[in-house]
Amino acid sequence: MPVYFSPEVITPEFHVLNIVDSKDKALGNVAFLFDEKKMYVYGILEDEEVGADFKDIVTPYIKGLSKAKPGIEVYSCLYIGCKKITLNTDEEEEE
C-alpha cells in the first residue's frame, strides 16, 4: 500500500506533513525544521506494514531539501511503530 505526504503546514522555517494512504487515512506525520546550517527531521509512522514506503518518500525529500542549502547538516529522529530507524542518505550513514 503506497503512502503519500499530505501537507499540514509549510513555511520557510518548517514543514509539517501528514503521512496518509491512498484512502487519505492518517498513518503518521513528519516535521522538518530548518536552521541556517542544520535541518532537523522528526517523524513517526504508526503502521509498520508501510515502513518501506515511508522510508522511500522521506529519503528523497530530505535529499531534495538538502540541495537547497549546500553543506547543511541533517539530524533525524524517525520511528516506525516503536522502533527507531535510520536513513541511508548522503548526509547520514546507516547504523
Side-chain angles (χ1 to χ4, degrees):
M1 165 183 24
V3 296
Y4 307 94
F5 285 139
S6 175
E8 186 72 25
V9 180
I10 296 181
T11 73
E13 294 82 26
F14 64 90
H15 297 183
V16 177
L17 308 172
N18 292 318
I19 308 298
V20 298
D21 65 11
S22 59
K23 296 177 182 174
D24 209 28
K25 177 185 172 195
L27 304 174
N29 58 57
V30 64
F32 300 85
L33 308 167
F34 309 104
D35 194 11
E36 274 190 42
K37 291 289 180 183
K38 296 176 184 169
M39 176 174 31
Y40 301 92
V41 183
Y42 301 98
I44 187 163
L45 179 73
E46 295 174 5
D47 189 346
E48 293 182 36
E49 293 178 16
V50 293
D53 292 331
F54 176 65
K55 288 172 97 172
D56 287 347
I57 63 170
V58 170
T59 302
Y61 198 85
I62 290 172
K63 286 182 179 181
L65 290 173
S66 296
K67 289 179 184 177
K69 289 189 173 186
I72 195 168
E73 294 179 59
V74 178
Y75 299 94
S76 68
C77 184
L78 297 168
Y79 288 86
I80 296 175
C82 294
K83 181 180 175 192
K84 186 174 180 180
I85 64 165
T86 57
L87 301 175
N88 188 14
T89 66
D90 294 338
E91 295 77 27
E92 298 180 26
E93 292 301 318
E94 189 119 3
E95 291 183 63

